[in-house]
Amino acid sequence: MAQGSGDQRAVGIADPEESSPNMIVYCKIEDIITKMQDDKTGGVPIRTVKSFLSKIPSVVTGTDVVQWLMKNLSIEDPVEAIHLGSLIAAQGYIFPISDHVLTMKDDGTFYRFQAPYFWPSNCWEPENTDYAIYLCKRTMQNKARLELADYEAENLARLQRAFARKWEFIFMQAEAQVKIDRKKDKTERKILDSQERAFWDVHRPVPGCVNTTEMDIRKCRRLKNPQKVKKSVYGVTEESQAQSPVHVLSQPIRKTTKEDIRKQITFLNTQIDRHCLKMSKVAESLIAYTEQYMEYDPLITPAEPSNPWISDDVALWDIEMSKEPSQQRVKRWGFSFDEILKDQVGRDQFLRFLESEFSSENLRFWLAVQDLKKQPLQDVAKRVEEIWQEFLAPGAPSAINLDSHSYEITSQNVKDGGRYTFEDAQEHIYKLMKSDSYARFLRSNAYQDLLLAKKKPESEQGRRTSLEKFTRSVLLF
């Protein structure tokens, strides 16, 4: 197949710094297309088809493409393979030779592979001057199959008016390309003409078709600040020149005001204050989290004694419902404060520990507020008053220790009680228990005894050493 990778067509090559955020996706698609064209590894058969009084070179059928996708990408559903083929065709990597609708059909429709020179990863956002050269060149070739469609003729007229000052240069460029094309083999020239037209079907689609090429994310960002975008020769923004001037409405340009500057300063200050993490730190945290919870994931570690969802043994559910937790379950309480709060047995053990320290009112208040959020609407007001009298009112029997700010907000909320009246107070108590009581609970003999209760027999010294290592690890984490 003639790829024409060395053909010096007037197509805008993008700066690598302005590459699409989907460049990785393009690379994956191009890897599939490369394998699809490789005869040595069982690619799609590319052949020349004889037609009435002519030959159609370097084509494949839609059925061949769909079958290859199903076989080599392990796709069982033909509909899914057709959908994937249409997504690839929408980006211009493969195109039908009979029309300009970039979709995939599972039939005998003939398709042709796009030359790598015109792949989206190499030819990103061509300019309107390139489009003008292409249309002007089409008018010079005087061939029925290259005649301009109505919308193309209208585009050419608009571009000629817009580029009136440099139309002579555009005409000379088109004329030079036509001379180069005439020196090529007839079959190769026919293929290249179809590939170039398919390229513009993607970047200047037929009216009514969607432009599938995505804009660079930084350009999208600039479009949100129209006062920073200069007006182009067409009366449209520079970032929207990838669209045909037929379909793009001009946008009025206004001067920058003091309010615009203030908004920009506010936005930049917000960006400076944002907490950013290095990717290496995020990756380390994700790996640590995965390793920590690996033994609790039934897809990775088989459940003991067995997974009741795939077997008839419900012993695992009985163990989970038991008030005597397993060593693995107790170990999980040390991962985070939320782990112990969402486990009924863990809450009971933590409550006993708080009672021994005479601070159980904190957890009881937190649980009462959680229960309030689930109450029917007609019972909310009564329950709010009960919680206030028990934990926050002057002389309350189980008074909790709140800071003045949270107490003042809660006092105002109680006057018009709702399910979230105690939200600020609950958050304060949560942080207090997490930073103080929870840390002491992990170091307490009660928690250590629970950890050791279900362990396999071993020396007392070894048991205590492993326990201390685990306790230190969960506290550091």
Side-chain angles (χ1 to χ4, degrees):
M1 173 179 177
Q3 296 293 339
S5 59
D7 185 22
Q8 299 300 319
R9 307 256 176 166
V11 180
I13 304 300
D15 187 337
E17 294 183 358
E18 293 291 329
S19 60
S20 168
N22 286 333
M23 191 60 67
I24 297 177
V25 178
Y26 287 144
C27 292
K28 292 180 179 179
I29 295 177
E30 289 163 10
D31 183 55
I32 294 175
I33 293 297
T34 302
K35 293 178 180 178
M36 200 179 293
Q37 297 180 76
D38 191 352
D39 294 333
K40 296 180 180 179
T41 58
V44 179
I46 301 173
R47 55 187 179 271
T48 298
V49 180
K50 292 183 179 180
S51 181
F52 181 69
L53 298 179
S54 63
K55 294 182 179 180
I56 306 176
S58 302
V59 294
V60 297
T61 65
T63 301
D64 291 337
V65 174
V66 172
Q67 293 297 326
W68 188 93
L69 291 173
M70 294 180 64
K71 178 181 178 181
N72 292 270
L73 300 183
S74 301
I75 300 175
E76 298 180 357
D77 188 358
V79 177
E80 184 179 350
I82 295 172
H83 175 66
L84 177 59
S86 296
L87 293 178
I88 296 174
Q91 300 296 330
Y93 288 98
I94 186 170
F95 58 90
I97 64 171
S98 57
D99 56 41
H100 304 287
V101 181
L102 301 177
T103 57
M104 180 61 61
K105 300 176 183 178
D106 188 9
D107 55 20
T109 303
F110 291 129
Y111 290 84
R112 184 171 286 148
F113 288 105
Q114 183 60 281
Y117 181 80
F118 294 116
W119 283 353
S121 58
N122 297 326
C123 312
W124 187 247
E125 289 198 29
E127 299 176 356
N128 280 316
T129 52
D130 304 319
Y131 190 45
I133 293 172
Y134 165 71
L135 294 178
C136 188
K137 182 176 63 175
R138 288 261 302 277
T139 62
M140 298 177 184
Q141 291 173 323
N142 194 24
K143 294 178 182 177
R145 61 185 175 84
L146 295 175
E147 288 181 359
L148 296 181
D150 291 341
Y151 78 95
E152 291 176 320
E154 186 179 354
N155 284 354
L156 179 60
R158 286 175 177 265
L159 290 168
Q160 189 170 2
R161 290 194 300 269
F163 290 121
R165 294 184 179 181
K166 55 179 180 179
W167 190 253
E168 184 178 356
F169 168 77
I170 292 175
F171 185 86
M172 292 173 59
Q173 288 285 325
E175 194 174 34
Q177 290 190 27
V178 169
K179 290 181 180 179
I180 295 174
D181 287 344
R182 286 172 180 169
K183 296 178 181 179
K184 295 177 181 176
D185 178 73
K186 182 179 178 181
T187 302
E188 180 184 8
R189 188 167 65 246
K190 185 177 182 179
I191 294 173
L192 289 174
D193 287 338
S194 68
Q195 290 172 335
E196 188 174 15
R197 183 155 190 176
F199 171 82
W200 289 110
D201 285 339
V202 174
H203 293 275
R204 297 292 188 276
V206 178
C209 295
V210 179
N211 191 338
T212 57
T213 56
E214 297 183 9
M215 189 174 293
D216 182 85
I217 190 170
R218 284 170 289 186
K219 292 191 176 182
C220 292
R221 178 65 192 167
R222 287 198 294 271
L223 285 178
K224 295 181 181 179
N225 297 280
Q227 67 274 13
K228 299 173 65 176
V229 181
K230 296 180 180 179
K231 193 173 181 180
S232 73
V233 69
Y234 301 103
V236 297
T237 57
E238 289 179 348
E239 282 72 22
S240 62
Q241 287 186 14
Q243 301 287 339
S244 170
V246 175
H247 312 296
V248 181
L249 299 176
S250 61
Q251 299 179 0
I253 304 300
R254 61 183 180 85
K255 293 183 178 180
T256 303
T257 63
K258 292 183 179 180
E259 185 63 26
D260 295 332
I261 299 299
R262 290 194 188 97
K263 289 181 179 179
Q264 185 179 357
I265 292 173
T266 303
F267 170 76
L268 293 175
N269 287 334
T270 304
Q271 296 299 104
I272 292 174
D273 294 337
R274 287 181 61 186
H275 181 61
C276 299
L277 291 176
K278 293 183 178 179
M279 285 299 299
S280 58
K281 296 295 182 182
V282 175
E284 289 176 3
S285 299
L286 183 59
I287 292 173
Y289 178 87
T290 304
E291 290 176 346
Q292 187 179 58
Y293 284 91
M294 184 181 299
E295 60 180 310
Y296 299 92
D297 190 338
L299 296 177
I300 300 175
T301 304
E304 294 182 359
S306 65
N307 189 338
W309 292 105
I310 58 178
S311 67
D312 295 330
D313 187 6
V314 294
L316 178 64
W317 288 340
D318 295 336
I319 293 174
E320 291 297 320
M321 293 297 293
S322 173
K323 292 187 178 181
E324 296 183 1
S326 63
Q327 191 268 342
Q328 184 186 33
R329 187 174 171 186
V330 174
K331 181 181 177 181
R332 185 166 179 168
W333 298 347
F335 291 170
S336 69
F337 187 42
D338 290 328
E339 291 290 346
I340 195 171
L341 287 180
K342 68 183 181 183
D343 190 321
Q344 177 63 48
V345 179
R347 289 200 304 270
D348 293 341
Q349 294 293 334
F350 187 50
L351 181 61
R352 292 197 191 102
F353 170 76
L354 293 179
E355 287 174 348
S356 67
E357 291 194 337
F358 304 99
S359 58
S360 62
E361 65 278 357
N362 289 332
L363 181 57
R364 288 192 287 109
F365 169 76
W366 188 90
L367 293 173
V369 175
Q370 286 294 100
D371 181 66
L372 171 65
K373 298 174 183 178
K374 306 173 185 178
Q375 292 295 319
L377 187 60
Q378 62 269 22
D379 299 336
V380 169
K382 178 182 177 182
R383 186 59 183 146
V384 166
E385 183 62 23
E386 291 175 352
I387 294 175
W388 171 262
Q389 293 297 332
E390 183 178 0
F391 297 102
L392 292 166
S398 301
I400 59 176
N401 185 16
L402 276 186
D403 63 284
S404 58
H405 178 69
S406 299
Y407 186 83
E408 182 179 353
I409 293 176
T410 306
S411 301
Q412 295 295 327
N413 293 341
V414 170
K415 296 177 182 179
D416 186 19
R419 289 193 178 96
Y420 301 95
T421 297
F422 302 101
E423 193 75 10
D424 289 274
Q426 185 189 34
E427 183 179 359
H428 176 79
I429 293 300
Y430 173 89
K431 292 179 180 178
L432 185 65
M433 291 190 296
K434 181 179 179 180
S435 61
D436 185 26
S437 303
Y438 174 64
R440 290 201 307 273
F441 172 72
L442 295 181
R443 295 192 298 266
S444 67
N445 292 332
Y447 180 66
Q448 294 175 5
D449 291 342
L450 286 171
L451 274 176
L452 294 173
K454 301 294 182 179
K455 278 195 171 183
K456 295 181 179 180
E458 54 184 337
S459 65
E460 187 66 25
Q461 182 63 30
R463 292 164 68 183
R464 179 61 61 181
T465 302
S466 61
L467 173 63
E468 291 173 352
K469 288 182 179 179
F470 170 73
T471 305
R472 285 198 298 270
S473 66
V474 296
L475 290 176
L476 289 174
F477 183 77

